[in-house]
Amino acid sequence: MPPHATRPWRAPAALLALLAALALVVPLTASRVHAAEHDRSHGSGRAVQQSTTVSRYLFTAFTNSSESNMYVYGSDDARDFWSVQDKAYTPPSGLVRDPSVIHRGGRYYVAYTTGWTGTTFGLAVSDDRRTWTHLADIDHGVAANNTWAPEFFTDAPDGKVRIVVSLSTGPTAYRHFQPYVLTALDDTLTRWSEPQPLEGISPSESDYNGYIDTFVVRKGASYHAFTKNATGELIEHAVADRITGPYRFTGKGDWAGWGGLLEGQTIVALPGGGYRMFMDGYTVKKYYYSDSADLEHWTPKQELPGLSGVVRHGTVIRETATVRPGDANPALPGYHADPDVMYAEGRYWIYPTEDGHPGWSGTRFNGFSSPDLVHWTDHGPVLDLADVSWCHENAWAPSVVRKGDTYWMYFSACQSIGVAKSAHPGGPFTDALGKPLVAKGQFGHQSIDPDAFIDDDGTPYLYFGQGAFEAARLNDDMVSFATQPVKITPPGYNEAPTVFKRAGRYYAMWSEDDTRSPDYRVAYGVSDSPLGPFTKAAGNPVLAKDTGDQILGTGHNSVIQVPGRDEWYIVYHRFARPGGDGTHREVAIDRMRFTPDGTIQRIRPTQAGITPVRPQAHHQPEQERTA
């Protein structure tokens, strides 16, 4: 959605120069980085020749509708945010206003205001940003009337975690505010030092209400405090050589041109050296942002699209991950999930779910092809639900096989399973039935995640189901069942079955846990029959997260055998790295190996991915799609 204009305004020459400078610090978004990483469409080789930083943003806030629930949002560019989790945290008692978030030691923490009055602030912790647990209410020990807006500060040279909080210590509540800083005494964040005041930012005769909502940014050797003058209702700017001060004001009154009645300011550093400030227009229920190249000069405030009118005082942080030279993962550009892989007509093909839509609301399937599993060409939509008469929403988890001269796509739409066909792997595919093959809820669970498999003798099979693993033989017409689907659900199964055959044995792989969970993972079992049952192997899961490399939510896979040799690869999705989630995922490819007895070795998810893989020359496999 476009931003809303604030008021007619003519930029002075100095600000035009600032805007030109800011063009150099526009956030390097994940999509832009992906575009740079994946200039591989015509086999031009790996584009990543030097380390690149990918950024995403996390925003925690309370809302105009509730000060007892925390909401969590994510973004590629610190402007357009999506919902990670509504009502992600409700404290055991009191409020959850002004939540300030950090990511530390693999966990997320928020500090928040617990009440309008009192001497405590709250802390909560999460491993996945969606589910939060109360950690502690910290009593700072100062005789204060009010304890407001605790803000994490982690940029000091000593690396310690600090909190800057506004305390009202005068004779009257809701007045005489001054910011104080506390330092964590250990990594539990439950033991804190005595508060120390920020000298120079204190009540006076003219500013008798004092200063609230103080946010500190370290730039070089200087500490920049942006603090709300609670008397004048304006955000002001002060600078010091130490976090405790003494601070000297360099911006008083309406120095930045934002106007008054703003509070809850929070600042995030952008790639390239710039900054973005977010501000709460609490009286008009608007939320704004403003940019700066130097913390001294700021652009006019603009409404934050999508969230202005919804959110209140919160904090935005930037999370980063490094793409190293030669890294082949993620394999595809942009947000994609549920990848299905096959080999056809001399190329590898991947058909994924188009991700990045709220509620998994994509409406089309793209096809990607590659000569070597590394350099991919996007062929655009191969099936659009606009062309499917019985459903136009929730395009999920396609599976494509070739039988004879026809390619068959089984796909999820409206929580049903449809069938489409094409004469070419690059489509276009057209609806083959005009109705679902498997209707929504027909077998007592979600009718999604189809996987088609064709055995060595040409017999086709279909597997599907979320909540249960269904298996059936298809007729040769590929649009009807030869046998009634039967449940063969192994322990731990949730969704995403895929079946392949190796050395005369049938392997089934599936995903466990929830696709929104960092613990989403792949398990497998073996059978002597394509209809199972599949005995779950020891040593599962075979693919799981690697928190050390920020690789989370590894699941919903397919596998491919290199034509002509016993060489296998697993294609799967994971949370986009960094800061992705269950609707912002990316596709990765890694090697899959077997022991001499046929056991699948534990697969380590990697950033490096694989090197180019080409089949044996002139090899024409009898069935081009493995699983």
Side-chain angles (χ1 to χ4, degrees):
M1 289 177 286
H4 301 289
T6 52
R7 64 181 188 274
W9 181 82
R10 186 180 299 275
L15 189 52
L16 289 174
L18 169 62
L19 291 173
L22 281 172
L24 301 176
V25 297
V26 171
L28 184 58
T29 67
S31 59
R32 290 172 63 197
V33 170
H34 285 160
E37 292 169 17
H38 296 280
D39 184 18
R40 304 169 175 172
S41 299
H42 304 288
S44 57
R46 295 169 187 256
V48 184
Q49 301 302 323
Q50 58 185 6
S51 293
T52 305
T53 298
V54 182
S55 297
R56 288 188 181 88
Y57 302 85
L58 180 67
F59 182 19
T60 56
F62 75 105
T63 66
N64 281 309
S65 62
S66 175
E67 58 183 15
S68 298
N69 296 289
M70 183 180 75
Y71 290 65
V72 182
Y73 305 91
S75 176
D76 287 330
D77 59 7
R79 178 182 179 275
D80 297 295
F81 286 85
W82 66 78
S83 174
V84 172
Q85 185 65 49
D86 291 349
K87 297 182 179 179
Y89 174 63
T90 302
S93 62
L95 308 178
V96 59
R97 291 175 61 92
D98 322 321
S100 173
V101 64
I102 57 171
H103 188 192
R104 190 173 181 88
R107 310 189 82 188
Y108 295 88
Y109 298 86
V110 291
Y112 58 92
T113 301
T114 57
W116 287 97
T117 60
T119 59
T120 65
F121 58 85
L123 292 169
V125 63
S126 174
D127 293 320
D128 62 6
R129 306 178 305 160
R130 295 176 57 243
T131 305
W132 296 78
T133 303
H134 180 254
L135 180 64
D137 283 344
I138 304 298
D139 192 321
H140 50 69
V142 175
N145 303 298
N146 313 94
T147 302
W148 289 0
E151 294 284 357
F152 279 117
F153 178 83
T154 58
D155 291 339
D158 61 11
K160 293 182 178 180
V161 177
R162 290 173 170 82
I163 282 179
V164 177
V165 63
S166 302
L167 305 182
S168 167
T169 58
T172 306
Y174 305 105
R175 291 189 175 184
H176 311 288
F177 281 96
Q178 183 170 4
Y180 287 71
V181 61
L182 299 82
T183 303
L185 299 179
D186 57 39
D187 290 337
T188 69
L189 303 191
T190 58
R191 298 174 57 245
W192 294 83
S193 69
E194 293 184 3
Q196 295 180 273
L198 272 59
E199 295 180 50
I201 308 176
S202 56
S204 65
E205 285 191 17
S206 59
D207 297 328
Y208 53 86
N209 284 335
Y211 294 87
I212 64 172
D213 298 356
T214 301
F215 192 95
V216 178
V217 178
R218 178 171 169 259
K219 181 184 176 186
S222 298
Y223 295 81
H224 294 253
F226 295 85
T227 184
K228 178 186 175 180
N229 182 322
T231 305
E233 300 282 353
L234 294 161
I235 297 171
E236 298 181 338
H237 178 206
V239 181
D241 296 327
R242 297 180 302 154
I243 190 170
T244 54
Y247 284 85
R248 60 192 182 280
F249 278 92
T250 60
K252 290 285 288 182
D254 190 17
W255 62 283
W258 298 316
L261 299 177
L262 298 169
E263 64 183 22
Q265 62 280 359
T266 180
I267 297 172
V268 63
L270 302 177
Y275 302 88
R276 179 160 294 167
M277 179 186 291
F278 299 86
M279 299 167 278
D280 181 6
Y282 60 100
T283 61
V284 293
K285 297 184 178 180
K286 301 290 187 182
Y287 205 77
Y288 303 100
Y289 72 95
S290 173
D291 290 346
S292 175
D294 58 6
L295 296 176
E296 301 286 349
H297 305 89
W298 294 84
T299 60
K301 69 178 188 291
Q302 300 181 65
E303 284 193 55
L304 188 67
L307 290 184
S308 183
V310 177
V311 296
R312 294 286 313 278
H313 186 163
T315 300
V316 178
I317 61 170
R318 175 182 165 212
E319 299 187 82
T320 62
T322 300
V323 179
R324 298 175 289 258
D327 281 355
N329 282 329
L332 302 182
Y335 293 126
H336 294 92
D338 314 329
D340 184 71
V341 64
M342 67 177 293
Y343 183 82
E345 301 186 13
R347 294 179 71 84
Y348 299 95
W349 293 81
I350 289 179
Y351 305 91
T353 298
E354 186 178 84
D355 213 18
H357 303 288
W360 305 291
S361 57
T363 59
R364 64 184 189 177
F365 300 104
N366 280 25
F368 296 80
S369 75
S370 170
D372 57 13
L373 288 175
V374 172
H375 305 93
W376 293 92
T377 297
D378 185 350
H379 295 271
V382 296
L383 176 65
D384 194 317
L385 293 188
D387 301 320
V388 175
S389 61
W390 52 270
C391 177
H392 302 311
E393 60 186 24
N394 300 124
W396 303 342
S399 174
V400 178
V401 291
R402 178 180 179 179
K403 186 167 177 61
D405 294 328
T406 303
Y407 293 89
W408 298 89
M409 175 186 284
Y410 298 82
F411 60 94
S412 306
C414 296
Q415 291 77 57
S416 302
I417 294 173
V419 189
K421 63 182 181 178
S422 175
H424 187 269
F429 286 81
T430 57
D431 187 10
L433 272 176
K435 63 180 181 179
L437 172 64
V438 182
K440 180 178 180 179
Q442 182 175 345
F443 294 96
H445 53 82
Q446 279 213 86
S447 301
I448 62 171
D449 294 356
D451 176 71
F453 164 71
I454 298 181
D455 208 345
D456 298 337
D457 62 2
T459 303
Y461 296 87
L462 188 70
Y463 310 89
F464 62 92
Q466 189 271 326
F469 187 161
E470 302 277 356
R473 181 164 60 87
L474 290 167
N475 285 313
D476 286 339
D477 65 7
M478 302 297 282
V479 295
S480 61
F481 288 113
T483 64
Q484 182 74 1
V486 294
K487 291 180 174 60
I488 56 168
T489 311
Y493 175 91
N494 180 41
E495 61 189 12
T498 188
V499 173
F500 65 95
K501 188 177 185 180
R502 178 184 180 271
R505 304 176 76 192
Y506 298 91
Y507 291 73
M509 305 181 83
W510 60 85
S511 293
E512 301 182 341
D513 212 313
D514 189 292
T515 191
R516 295 165 293 186
S517 169
D519 295 318
Y520 196 55
R521 57 192 178 270
V522 174
Y524 84 98
V526 294
S527 176
D528 293 326
S529 167
L531 293 176
F534 291 87
T535 302
K536 189 172 183 178
N540 273 302
V542 71
L543 174 68
K545 67 183 179 182
D546 181 351
T547 56
D549 213 8
Q550 296 178 271
I551 299 175
L552 308 173
T554 51
H556 202 127
N557 74 289
S558 57
V559 302
I560 187 75
Q561 178 185 7
V562 178
R565 56 183 186 264
D566 187 26
E567 185 176 329
W568 298 77
Y569 294 86
I570 185 169
V571 184
Y572 60 96
H573 76 230
R574 64 193 193 189
F575 288 1
R577 179 180 176 270
D581 52 45
T583 56
H584 295 81
R585 297 163 291 181
E586 60 192 17
V587 170
I589 303 175
D590 280 300
R591 183 73 183 267
M592 187 170 79
R593 292 181 169 87
F594 297 81
T595 64
D597 67 359
T599 299
I600 301 177
Q601 296 182 9
R602 183 72 179 264
I603 301 159
R604 178 178 173 267
T606 70
Q607 276 299 103
I610 63 175
T611 55
V613 178
R614 294 186 182 271
Q616 291 181 357
H618 310 301
H619 181 83
Q620 294 294 329
E622 179 180 347
Q623 290 297 333
E624 293 180 307
R625 197 269 185 189
T626 303

